[in-house]
């Protein structure tokens, strides 16, 4: 339901992310299952034991490399999703801007209030000093 309200490009991008996720996880699972199958008991084959061991070792290395590639692809996918959210999450950005704006306005109001209080105190002190000066006998 929520995806129907998304623009076409966002929906396509989310489907792409979902497809990448499923493909990478499937690749990791399939390769891991095949590695486990290679750890089977000895089977009768026409290949010599050494040749079979070398072949199994090579296949395990290739499958392990495929698992690593799928893991790196998943990490890249997570990075892409984070970047997408950071760049396109306007609601959160607007909330942060509004919160900062309110904070700065309240700070400005507090500074203005303190400056006005300081001005009033200085005006009263100046008035007292002027009164003392003009009424002084040492003038």
């Amino acid at each position: 339901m929520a995806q129907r309200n998304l623009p076409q490009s966002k929906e396509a991008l989310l489907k792409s992310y979902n497809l990448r996720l499923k493909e990478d996880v499937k690749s990791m699972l399939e390769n891991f299952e095949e590695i486990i199958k290679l750890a089977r008991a000895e089977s009768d084959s026409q290949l010599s034991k050494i040749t079979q061991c070398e072949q199994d070792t090579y296949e395990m290395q290739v499958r392990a490399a495929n698992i690593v590639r799928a893991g790196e692809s998943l990490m890249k996918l997570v990075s892409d999703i984070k970047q997408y959210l950071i760049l396109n999450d306007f609601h959160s950005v607007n909330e942060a801007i509004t919160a900062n704006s309110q904070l700065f306005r309240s700070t400005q109001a507090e500074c203005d209030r303190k400056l006005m209080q300081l001005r009033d105190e200085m005006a009263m002190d100046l008035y007292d000093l002027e009164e003392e000066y003009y009424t002084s006998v040492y003038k």
Side-chain angles (χ1 to χ4, degrees), residues 27-52:
S27 173
M28 290 178 89
L29 179 63
E30 288 174 353
N31 282 292
F32 186 72
E33 287 174 348
E34 291 300 320
I35 287 175
I36 297 299
K37 285 179 187 176
L38 288 173
R40 68 190 178 278
E42 289 187 31
S43 63
D44 296 329
S45 68
Q46 294 180 350
L47 298 175
S48 70
K49 278 187 172 184
I50 296 175
T51 307
Q52 186 64 44

Side-chain angles (χ1 to χ4, degrees), residues 27-28 30-32 34-35 38 53-71:
S27 173
M28 290 178 89
E30 288 174 353
N31 282 292
F32 186 72
E34 291 300 320
I35 287 175
L38 288 173
C53 283
E54 288 296 320
Q55 182 179 349
D56 290 349
T57 302
Y58 178 70
E59 186 175 348
M60 282 185 185
Q61 289 174 350
V62 169
R63 292 197 179 277
N66 287 341
I67 291 173
V68 170
R69 184 212 47 82

Side-chain angles (χ1 to χ4, degrees), residues 106-120:
S106 66
T107 303
Q108 179 186 5
E110 181 67 21
C111 288
D112 288 346
R113 185 186 63 75
K114 286 181 180 180
L115 283 171
M116 295 294 261
Q117 183 181 2
L118 185 62
R119 182 200 66 183
D120 293 343

